[in-house]
Amino acid sequence: MRLRPPRGLRVRLVIAFLLVSALSALITAALTFRQARSAILDRTQDNAVHELRAQVDSLAPDLPFPPTTQDLRNFTRQLDRAGTSRDWRTAASYRGGPPVSAPGETRKTEVPAALRTAVGEEKDAVVRQRVEHDGTPWLVIGMPVLYGTDGADERRAVSGLVVYADFSLDGDKADIAALVTAAQAGAVPALVIALGPALFAARRVLRPVRGLRNGAEKLASGDLGTRLPVTGHDELSDLTRTFNAMATHLEQDDAELRRMEATARRFAADVAHELRTPLAAMTAVTEVLDEDARGGTLPADTADAVLLISDETRKLARMVEDLMEVSRFDAGAATLHLDEVALRTLVEKTVQLRGWQTPPGRVVVEVPDDVRVSVDPRRIDVVLANLIGNGLRHGAPPVVVRARREPGSEARDAGGDDLVVTVIDHGAGIPDDVLPHVFDRFYKADAARTRSEGSGLGLAIAAENVRLHHGTLTAANSPEGGAEFTLTLPLALPRPDVPEVEEGP
């Protein structure tokens, strides 16, 4: 299984702090160990050399020169007896001869060739070398024996006699091992103790970061008045100042956009309101002229012109009505007049009022007779008319209207069942890039199509009416082809507690 690095910033900071602490402790322990090890070995070597020198200086004067082999054996026996505290074994060599040890010893002094060579080169200096036998460190000393002085420089003369001694450093090894054990034993408590400062430091560092995160979440939720307190003069305080400046600009831009949007909506509502009265009069006049044109009382060219003007006047009047309806939704002035009705009757009435029942099969209503729903009949009629009319204009017949009951959404406080109404046509469907925008105001799927029978507000008004009923309206493409609009409404819509008011103009 692949291990993933920790994702939390706090965890990363704590781990980084502990790693730095562990690395610092490791380096300190390594340097301390190295110095302590060198000190222990140097002290042992110096003491051994000092003791050997003292014994050699004490016994060498009694040694006859030139010494015989037996003299060297006797000499080394005396040295071995004097060095019982270190348990060294000695050997003596005269003028480059082989080292001679005391007779009867089971362990002979092992003198490395390199050490003998170094003693020969240094002449009057003590040479030391650490070797290893069977995993145990040993120290071998080569000490030339000097006597008298050699004249003007008052240096002691080389006698040609060299004493070798070796002894085990096992005791020092145990001391060094104890140092390693102590360092390892101290590392774990040091890391545990370092965890506290690590958590404290991480909390101090992350406190401004948490504040910035909370502030960003408030901004994202729409609370543009969010500001954060600035403390200190570090990089995080600069970031906090930048955040506050960004929030200020966002709040100003949002206020400006809201002002411009309100102005635009008020302008559209005012224009629609001012056009409503003259358009009503024009519609009445064109209807009279329509009758004359269709009755053949007007010349043919005049009749065509009258019919064209009459048609355009009706479109303009319908657009003005749609604009006024949208302005009511924007102003929050749209209200519901609830009534319990049979859904099938409501759908059939919508179809008959628009003359869509002919030819037969153009609109197919598959709604059970026993489905009753509490809605505003006028607004649901607008919704159904927009959906069915959209299917007939932009899709292809037959347009099928179906209804079914479904368990209500748990998120809705009122509970109860939902009424799901689907309106499906048999056209080419809606392009995928258009689907997200079908409920946008004045959205045209084909930019080249500048004129249409509708105002471009029909589906937007339908969606607003559904929202007013606490329902949803979605658009998709049917698996069998064609566009499919799904209207979901709660069957038992609660009546508002406040008295209903008359709608605005």
Side-chain angles (χ1 to χ4, degrees), residues 312-349:
E312 293 298 326
T313 302
R314 282 194 295 271
K315 290 181 181 177
L316 184 58
R318 190 160 49 248
M319 177 175 290
V320 169
E321 291 296 331
D322 288 346
L323 284 173
M324 295 187 66
E325 186 74 355
V326 168
S327 67
R328 294 189 193 100
F329 286 119
D330 292 341
T335 59
L336 288 177
H337 299 275
L338 296 179
D339 192 7
E340 185 171 322
V341 297
L343 179 62
R344 184 179 181 85
T345 302
L346 182 59
V347 175
E348 289 178 344
K349 184 178 178 181

Side-chain angles (χ1 to χ4, degrees), residues 2 7 16 38 118 206 257 469 471:
R2 184 179 179 181
R7 302 178 63 180
S38 298
L206 292 180
L257 287 176
H469 284 81

Side-chain angles (χ1 to χ4, degrees), residues 8-29:
L9 187 56
R10 181 174 183 175
V11 177
R12 292 183 183 182
L13 284 174
V14 171
I15 292 177
F17 192 92
L18 291 179
L19 287 177
V20 172
S21 301
L23 183 61
S24 301
L26 181 63
I27 293 175
T28 303

Side-chain angles (χ1 to χ4, degrees), residues 373-386:
V373 59
S374 178
V375 295
D376 185 329
R378 184 186 71 82
R379 295 190 180 280
I380 296 301
D381 172 71
V382 171
V383 174
L384 293 172
N386 272 292

Side-chain angles (χ1 to χ4, degrees), residues 404-422:
R404 64 181 187 275
R405 292 172 181 264
E406 283 189 355
S409 171
E410 295 180 357
R412 185 179 301 133
D413 295 337
D417 291 343
D418 283 344
L419 172 66
V420 179
V421 180
T422 58

